[in-house]
Amino acid sequence: MAMIEVAGLTKIHETQTEALRVLDGLALEVAAGEAVAIVGPSGSGKTTLLNLLGALDQPSGGTIRIAERNISGLTTAEAARFRNRSLGFIFQHHHLLPQLSVLENVQVPRLAGDWEETPAETEARARDLLHKVGLDHRLQHLPWQLSGGERLRVGVARALLNRPCLVLADEPTGLLDAAATERVAELLLQLNREEGVTMVVVTHNATLARRIGRTLELTQGKLKEVVR
Amino acid sequence: MSGVSFMLRGLWFFRRSYLGVLAGAALGAMVLLGALMAGDSVKSSLQKVAAARLGKVNAVLAGGDRFFRAGLAGELTGAATQAAPVLWVKATASVQGSGRALGDVQVLGVDERFWLLGPGAGGTTTPPDRGFFVNAHLARSLALAPNESLVLRLEKPATIARDAPLAGKAAEVIALSGEVSEICGDARFGRFSLQTTQLPQATVFVPIERLQQALGLAGKANLLLVNDRKMPDRAELSERITHRCTLADYGLSVEEVPLAKAVEIRTSRIFFDRQVAAVIQHRFPEAQPVITYMANTIATNGKTTPYSMVTAVEAAAAPFLPDQLDGVVLNAWEADDLAAKAGDEVRLDYYALDASNRLVERSARLPVAGVVPLTDLAADRRWMPDFPGVASAEKTADWDAGVPIDVKRIRDKDEAYWDAHRGTPKLFLPLQKGRELFGNRWGEFTALRVPAAVASRDAVAAGLLESMTPAVAGLVLQDTGKQGLAAAASPVDFAGLLLGMSLFLMAAAVALTAMLFRFHIELRNHESGLLAALGISPNKVMRWRLLEGLCVVVAGSAIGALLAVAYTRFLLALLATIWSGPGGQGLFRFHVEAATLAGGMAGFVCLMMGVIWAVTRKQARQSASLRLEAGTEEVVRTGAGPVPWWALGLAAGGLAALTGRGVLGVPGAFFLAGFMLLLAGLAVYRWVLRRRAATACDGLSPRRLADLNCGRRPTRSLVVVGSLAGGVFLVVSVAAFRKSGGDDWEQRGSGTGGFAYWVETTRAVTRGNATQAADDVLDLGAARSHFGRVLPLRIGPGDDASCFNLNSVTRPRLLATDVATLAQLGAFPIKQVLAGCGKDWNTLREGPVLRAFVDETTLLWVLKKKLGERLLYQDEWGREFPVEIAGTLDGTVFQGSLVVDEARFLQHYPSAEGPRLFLLEGTPRGEGAARLQLALADQGAMVSTTGERLAAFHQVENTYIAIFHLLGGLGVIVGSAGLGLLTARNLTERRDEFAILHSLGVPEKTTRRVIRLEAGQFIRWGLGIGLLAAMVAILPALYAGGTAHGLAWIGLLVVVIAANARFWSWLGYRRHLRDALRH
Ligand SMILES: Nc1ncnc2c1ncn2[C@@H]1O[C@H](COP(=O)(O)OP(=O)(O)O)[C@@H](O)[C@H]1O
Ligand SMILES: [Mg+2]
């Protein structure tokens, strides 16, 4: 089963003076449980693509189907619900809420309301995920007490709280050193295996891309398989 | 973790960032609630005063100079009604054996029933027979020590107004002394007064019997206080009073005149009120009027008879007269004295009052139609009424008639006639002629005779009683319950006034708070973006933000409410300096209604949340994106046109406002114009900001960088420049309205009319025993030469409506004077007159209704009426009549009163007492006041200079302005604090920018310069726009004079404001520059 089916995807950024065609008839297919790395020069449109896949933005043309569901026509509310239920995001800047502890930060998606699990179940799941990312001894710490790599791992745990079918990561290791990058790569692949979650990872990091396996390059608004 | 706990965590975590919002909300709430609380306090204090003033009294029968039986009270008292008789007079009080004296003291003759009507359950003990009670105000004013004795000097009331001809002897002043045994507080009815004012009135309580005895008014009262529980209908009470009144209460008596075969009706007032005469004639159409008057001289054939009574009557009542009398009939004695016979012409000299109320001698020439023998009815002594001082005189030479009598003219034969015949008239003339010659404003007839054939004495008495009502007799029933409440319920709307004055401060506080809140939201932009990306709907996030804001605002309002209590006390203390009057400390008690507090808080929270919502809506709605930085920038539409149309429109509107001078008044129009220019200025600034962003730069300089930075977040810049400009505008433009008056007192056209002194006496001053010019009414004795012209004014009914009275006054006191004199002098500035009226005092003598001039301030702010509107007054008999506001005066000593023409006034109040108010020319310095005080000690005079009086009025306005300045100044400080915060905020926000400049090798000096230029730009624009607008607003004030004073004051203000703005931006700059430039 294909988790992501994208065809003829076009995105034009309109500014006051000019229109910028960032994506131009892009096609992409990712199978369920597959992990994909997307590389490309800065400004090529990688973040734009992830925004579209994550239903954070509306395409100018083309279709996007995630888990057999067309998401290009969703209303804002529907899109929000879809993200909250089915997607996980991992950001370059960790973006943890400074006022919340590690354990609470992981549970933030629950704030959307009408969560199916009970609070206790959610918290158990958060503890479990934090255990998986190796932070079970820092549950009550605040974000500023963590290192960059640790914060990123909290972000990863948060992305998985809702058992997403698809995780989108935008340059997750951009700010990390080699050792930390290695740990994160290991973690992502482990989660991909254990949780069976589909992953699209945008990265500049060659090591990470190589470890993920299937790599696509975004140039001139289109994706191209990188064959190694 | 639930939404609520998430929110609470946010609140706690960002508490420092929220502190500013909290402080701003607290300040705004304090100002708003303070104004409301002050309003409540004033209102409740005035209500308390009204309650203390009137106690349980809800109706009053007021007789003034008409006295009725004190027993009426007892007859009215019943299950639902309590009544107390009071004998009320004015007096001067002095402390025995000391120089301490006080004029205008009300003396109340009371019995225990009076105390029962008091507000509290105070005792009912009445002063001991030889003692006094006084109220707290009098005790304070006279610095009365325990057991000191008071001497009251009071005037014996006359049966008829003192200035009526033949009103009897000159005022008789008597002294009453006694020890003060109790000082009555409010609960003991010490505040009792029928004057609608918050100021206490000095009062002495005396046992009613003692006062009655002293005044020769045994068993009489002139005030009936009633507590009638059958509210609200007064008709029933009025009916019961009418039912209980006797002829004595109406001052009427009925007696048989056997010689005339008639029943004669007389009035204790000598002349029948025209009202009463009409009632009697209506009831008994057969009643024959009689006029008996004094002729100073009857002369013919070169012979004269001095001081004789003459009677005008119809033949129907005097059968000895020919049916169609044409001319006069002499009695035999007189015909003999003058050697006159039918066909001769006699000259009749008699006293009358001229238009200016001066006693003048007039003459009439009448032919002699016949002579009657001095027998029977023609010799009846009863033709003469009981002229005071005449009727009981032993000899003609003893006459004390209240008119000048030349005793030398009286011959022995005149004394012999008096001995034998007393006041038997020596001459009879036709009734109509008598009315023409002797009629005066008090009435015409001295008796009405009902033929005995028509009705017996008892039948006349019964019929009379049936037709009369207290109102016709001048006893007016007033509904004090309603009046008192109405007056206290709608005083100057202090809440509104203070709110108006706080508007700018509140706006500044609210704008600043909203700005701070927005800073806070911006600080948490990433959080919002993240939550959106995680699928939490932006609406929900915005709700959380607003809820957080709500918590902070509510907490702030609660703190503000606490602060408002202190702030209100401060405001009340400030207000009390004006309105408490001397010794009236503690007039204003803090009071707040729960509803006001709740409403005010709710209103403020709603306002605050509305503004917060408006400024954060855009930010909170930002679209989710993986680029979480998006949305921190303000979206600026840079498409500014070539010309700021908006601004031009506003400026044009401002100029157009100047054409509305007629409606708004000159200062109002200019103020509006200035305000429009202020808005125009801000529109220009906005346009400049946009334009800068739009125009391509040619060469980057620190100035350009500063310009761009200011334009980067135009809303912020506009808030800061706007609050600075608004503050400057308000503070400066209001400063120009400060008044300092009385310097030009010498000018006729000034508010003093060229008079130096304002003298009010306790007792009305009446023309003495000489035909004096109006100037000399006031007997100044040796001091006369120090003063110039004297302008006497009669004080009519109504309450003081000057700015010193906080109660709402619907009928300002009438001041009546001979306006012809004022017209001739060209005194006082007449500002505006009704179309069709001359711009001249003489216009008051014309028109179908009584016309009045009133000070513009009183008209606009106290009466809230317009030129040409009419106020309803009750005349002497309780009938309503209109007074038309025919013109306004500009800042005169007459503030709070309506000035009317004396002659016209007397038509409505014929029995009005003589003048009690005098304006004197002189030099308002040195010993003048002391001299006057001394010369007029007997009259109980209160002397002040006109300059002092004007200054006191201005003091009120200046206090308003001071409050306004205080609040405006606070607003400016808040505005400039905003500037400081903004500077600080800009610096922290732009750390990256500075880091880059640093790394690019730009020297720190340049960076600092950019920052300074930015703050400087705000200050320049803010001050510039504000000043420019203010200058337009104060143009008329500057033009009108006091320029040097005004400009100096304004210059000082501007310097202070500029320095203040600099200080705050420097503070923000100093605190944060080091941080920002730390690389
Ligand atoms: N909101 C926007 N408005 C205008 N242009 C944008 C916007 N977002 C992205 N772009 C432009 O689209 C291009 C692709 O951006 P992005 O997707 O962020 O690239 P990448 O993530 O590959 O570096 C860039 O040239 C960027 O300037
Ligand atoms: Mg990117």
Side-chain angles (χ1 to χ4, degrees), chain A residues 13 16 47-48 50-51 56 76 80-81 83-84 89 91 93-101 104 107-113 119 142 144 158 170, chain B residues 1-3 5-6 9-10 13-14 524 526-538 540 544 548 623-629 636-638:
Chain A
H13 281 304
Q16 269 174 351
T47 303
T48 304
L50 279 200
N51 264 336
L56 288 161
T76 323
R81 195 177 152 78
R83 287 199 298 278
N84 193 246
F89 287 96
F91 303 90
H93 298 271
H94 53 85
H95 292 319
L96 300 182
L97 300 188
Q99 66 266 44
L100 303 182
S101 67
E104 286 164 336
Q107 296 176 68
V108 161
R110 195 171 202 286
L111 288 174
L142 290 173
W144 60 268
R158 181 177 63 195
D170 193 3
Chain B
M1 188 183 50
S2 65
S5 66
F6 174 69
R9 293 297 282 276
F13 187 81
F14 293 105
R524 292 170 73 182
H526 286 197
E527 179 182 327
S528 308
L530 174 81
L531 292 171
L534 295 180
I536 295 161
S537 80
K540 197 165 195 165
W544 283 332
E548 283 186 27
S623 54
S625 167
L626 290 178
R627 275 183 224 92
L628 297 181
E629 292 77 17
V636 188
R637 273 181 298 131
T638 47

Side-chain angles (χ1 to χ4, degrees), chain B residues 1063-1079:
Chain B
F1063 167 75
W1064 285 96
S1065 67
W1066 172 79
L1067 204 65
Y1069 171 81
R1070 199 191 60 136
R1071 284 275 313 257
H1072 291 268
L1073 187 65
R1074 190 134 355 112
D1075 279 355
L1077 293 182
R1078 205 170 51 203
H1079 309 294

Side-chain angles (χ1 to χ4, degrees), chain A residues 13-15 20 22 41-49 171, chain B residues 627:
Chain A
H13 281 304
E14 307 264 5
T15 62
L20 191 68
V22 180
S42 179
S44 56
K46 303 184 295 292
T47 303
T48 304
L49 175 61
E171 301 189 27
Chain B
R627 275 183 224 92

Side-chain angles (χ1 to χ4, degrees), chain B residues 202-225:
Chain B
T203 308
V204 177
F205 302 94
V206 184
I208 190 166
E209 290 88 4
R210 185 175 177 203
L211 196 59
Q212 285 167 339
Q213 233 167 28
L215 297 176
L217 289 167
K220 298 280 185 175
N222 59 354
L223 203 56
L224 191 69
L225 307 183

